[in-house]
Coordinates of all heavy atoms in Angstrom, one line a residue:
E1130 N -22.4 -96.7 -41.8 CA -21.9 -97.8 -42.7 C -20.7 -97.2 -43.5 O -19.7 -97.9 -43.7 CB -23.0 -98.1 -43.6 CG -24.1 -98.9 -43.0 CD -23.8 -100.4 -43.0 OE1 -23.9 -101.0 -44.1 OE2 -23.6 -101.0 -42.0
E1131 N -20.8 -96.0 -44.0 CA -19.7 -95.5 -44.8 C -18.4 -95.3 -43.9 O -17.3 -95.5 -44.5 CB -20.1 -94.0 -45.3 CG -19.1 -93.3 -46.1 CD -19.5 -91.9 -46.5 OE1 -20.8 -91.7 -46.5 OE2 -18.7 -91.1 -46.7
K1132 N -18.5 -95.0 -42.7 CA -17.4 -94.8 -41.8 C -16.9 -96.2 -41.3 O -15.8 -96.2 -40.6 CB -17.7 -93.9 -40.7 CG -18.0 -92.5 -41.2 CD -16.7 -91.8 -41.8 CE -17.0 -90.4 -42.2 NZ -15.8 -89.8 -42.8
G1133 N -17.6 -97.3 -41.5 CA -17.1 -98.6 -41.0 C -17.2 -98.7 -39.5 O -16.3 -99.3 -38.9
I1134 N -18.2 -98.2 -38.9 CA -18.3 -98.3 -37.4 C -18.4 -99.7 -37.0 O -17.9 -100.1 -35.9 CB -19.5 -97.5 -36.9 CG1 -19.4 -96.0 -37.4 CG2 -19.7 -97.6 -35.4 CD1 -18.2 -95.3 -36.8
G1135 N -19.1 -100.6 -37.7 CA -19.1 -102.0 -37.3 C -20.4 -102.4 -36.6 O -20.7 -103.6 -36.6
V1136 N -21.0 -101.5 -35.9 CA -22.3 -101.7 -35.3 C -23.3 -100.6 -35.7 O -22.8 -99.5 -36.1 CB -22.2 -101.7 -33.7 CG1 -21.4 -102.9 -33.3 CG2 -21.6 -100.4 -33.2
P1137 N -24.6 -100.9 -35.8 CA -25.5 -99.9 -36.2 C -25.9 -98.9 -35.1 O -25.8 -99.2 -33.9 CB -26.7 -100.7 -36.6 CG -26.7 -101.9 -35.7 CD -25.2 -102.2 -35.5
P1138 N -26.3 -97.7 -35.5 CA -27.0 -96.8 -34.5 C -28.2 -97.4 -34.0 O -28.8 -98.3 -34.7 CB -27.2 -95.5 -35.3 CG -27.3 -95.9 -36.7 CD -26.4 -97.1 -36.8
V1139 N -28.7 -97.0 -32.8 CA -29.8 -97.7 -32.2 C -31.0 -96.7 -32.0 O -30.7 -95.5 -31.6 CB -29.4 -98.2 -30.8 CG1 -30.6 -98.8 -30.1 CG2 -28.3 -99.3 -31.0
F1140 N -32.1 -97.2 -32.4 CA -33.4 -96.4 -32.4 C -34.3 -97.0 -31.2 O -34.5 -98.2 -31.2 CB -34.1 -96.6 -33.7 CG -35.3 -95.7 -34.0 CD1 -35.3 -94.8 -35.0 CD2 -36.4 -95.8 -33.3 CE1 -36.4 -94.0 -35.4 CE2 -37.5 -95.1 -33.5 CZ -37.5 -94.2 -34.6
I1141 N -34.6 -96.2 -30.3 CA -35.5 -96.6 -29.1 C -36.9 -96.1 -29.3 O -37.1 -95.0 -29.6 CB -34.9 -96.2 -27.8 CG1 -33.5 -96.8 -27.5 CG2 -35.8 -96.5 -26.6 CD1 -32.9 -96.3 -26.3
I1142 N -37.9 -97.0 -29.0 CA -39.3 -96.6 -28.9 C -39.8 -97.0 -27.6 O -39.7 -98.2 -27.2 CB -40.1 -97.3 -30.1 CG1 -39.5 -96.9 -31.4 CG2 -41.6 -96.8 -30.0 CD1 -40.1 -97.7 -32.6
V1143 N -40.3 -96.0 -26.8 CA -40.8 -96.3 -25.5 C -42.3 -96.2 -25.5 O -42.9 -95.1 -25.8 CB -40.2 -95.3 -24.5 CG1 -40.7 -95.6 -23.1 CG2 -38.7 -95.4 -24.5
C1144 N -43.0 -97.3 -25.1 CA -44.5 -97.4 -25.2 C -45.1 -97.3 -23.9 O -44.5 -97.5 -22.8 CB -44.9 -98.6 -26.0 SG -44.2 -98.7 -27.7
N1145 N -46.4 -97.2 -23.9 CA -47.2 -97.1 -22.6 C -47.5 -98.4 -21.9 O -47.6 -98.5 -20.7 CB -48.5 -96.2 -22.8 CG -49.4 -96.9 -23.7 OD1 -49.1 -97.6 -24.7 ND2 -50.7 -96.9 -23.4
N1146 N -47.7 -99.4 -22.7 CA -48.1 -100.7 -22.2 C -47.7 -101.8 -23.2 O -47.2 -101.6 -24.3 CB -49.6 -100.8 -21.8 CG -50.5 -100.6 -23.1 OD1 -50.2 -101.0 -24.2 ND2 -51.6 -99.9 -22.8
T1147 N -47.9 -103.1 -22.7 CA -47.4 -104.2 -23.6 C -48.2 -104.3 -24.9 O -47.7 -104.8 -25.9 CB -47.5 -105.5 -22.8 OG1 -48.8 -105.6 -22.2 CG2 -46.5 -105.5 -21.6
S1148 N -49.5 -104.0 -24.9 CA -50.3 -104.0 -26.1 C -49.7 -103.1 -27.1 O -49.5 -103.4 -28.3 CB -51.7 -103.7 -25.9 OG -52.3 -104.7 -25.0
S1149 N -49.4 -101.8 -26.7 CA -48.9 -100.9 -27.7 C -47.5 -101.3 -28.1 O -47.2 -101.1 -29.3 CB -48.8 -99.5 -27.0 OG -50.1 -99.0 -26.6
S1150 N -46.7 -101.8 -27.3 CA -45.3 -102.2 -27.6 C -45.4 -103.3 -28.7 O -44.6 -103.3 -29.6 CB -44.5 -102.6 -26.4 OG -45.0 -103.8 -25.8
K1151 N -46.3 -104.3 -28.5 CA -46.4 -105.4 -29.5 C -46.8 -104.9 -30.8 O -46.3 -105.3 -31.9 CB -47.4 -106.4 -28.9 CG -47.6 -107.6 -29.9 CD -46.4 -108.5 -30.0 CE -46.7 -109.7 -30.9 NZ -47.8 -110.5 -30.5
L1152 N -47.8 -103.9 -30.8 CA -48.2 -103.4 -32.1 C -47.1 -102.6 -32.8 O -46.9 -102.8 -34.0 CB -49.5 -102.5 -31.9 CG -50.8 -103.1 -31.6 CD1 -51.8 -102.0 -31.3 CD2 -51.2 -103.9 -32.8
V1153 N -46.4 -101.8 -32.1 CA -45.4 -101.0 -32.8 C -44.2 -101.9 -33.2 O -43.7 -101.8 -34.3 CB -44.8 -99.9 -31.8 CG1 -43.6 -99.3 -32.3 CG2 -45.9 -98.9 -31.4
Y1154 N -43.9 -102.9 -32.4 CA -42.9 -103.9 -32.8 C -43.2 -104.6 -34.0 O -42.4 -104.7 -35.0 CB -42.7 -104.9 -31.6 CG -41.9 -106.1 -31.9 CD1 -40.5 -106.0 -31.9 CD2 -42.5 -107.3 -32.1 CE1 -39.7 -107.1 -32.2 CE2 -41.7 -108.4 -32.4 CZ -40.3 -108.3 -32.4 OH -39.5 -109.4 -32.7
E1155 N -44.4 -105.1 -34.1 CA -44.9 -105.8 -35.3 C -45.0 -104.9 -36.6 O -44.6 -105.2 -37.7 CB -46.2 -106.5 -35.1 CG -46.1 -107.6 -34.1 CD -47.4 -108.3 -33.9 OE1 -48.4 -107.7 -34.0 OE2 -47.4 -109.5 -33.5
F1156 N -45.4 -103.6 -36.3 CA -45.6 -102.7 -37.4 C -44.2 -102.5 -38.1 O -44.1 -102.4 -39.4 CB -46.1 -101.4 -36.9 CG -46.3 -100.3 -38.0 CD1 -47.4 -100.3 -38.8 CD2 -45.3 -99.3 -38.1 CE1 -47.5 -99.3 -39.8 CE2 -45.4 -98.3 -39.1 CZ -46.5 -98.3 -39.9
I1157 N -43.2 -102.3 -37.3 CA -41.9 -102.0 -38.0 C -41.0 -103.2 -38.4 O -40.2 -103.1 -39.3 CB -41.0 -101.1 -37.0 CG1 -40.7 -101.8 -35.8 CG2 -41.8 -99.8 -36.7 CD1 -39.8 -101.0 -34.8
S1158 N -41.3 -104.3 -37.7 CA -40.4 -105.5 -38.0 C -41.0 -106.6 -38.8 O -40.4 -107.5 -39.3 CB -39.9 -106.1 -36.7 OG -40.9 -106.6 -35.9
G1159 N -42.4 -106.6 -38.9 CA -43.1 -107.7 -39.6 C -43.9 -108.6 -38.6 O -43.6 -108.7 -37.4
W1160 N -45.0 -109.2 -39.2 CA -45.8 -110.0 -38.3 C -46.6 -111.0 -39.1 O -46.7 -110.9 -40.3 CB -46.8 -109.1 -37.5 CG -47.9 -108.5 -38.3 CD1 -49.2 -109.0 -38.4 CD2 -47.9 -107.3 -39.0 NE1 -50.0 -108.2 -39.1 CE2 -49.2 -107.1 -39.6 CE3 -46.9 -106.4 -39.3 CZ2 -49.5 -106.0 -40.4 CZ3 -47.3 -105.3 -40.1 CH2 -48.5 -105.1 -40.6

Side-chain angles (χ1 to χ4, degrees):
E1130 287 271 291
E1131 178 184 337
K1132 295 295 180 179
I1134 300 300
V1136 294
V1139 176
F1140 189 119
I1141 294 177
I1142 303 173
V1143 181
C1144 301
N1145 66 319
N1146 59 38
T1147 53
S1148 294
S1149 297
S1150 66
K1151 177 71 179 300
L1152 283 176
V1153 173
Y1154 169 77
E1155 292 180 334
F1156 177 83
I1157 64 178
S1158 66
W1160 72 97

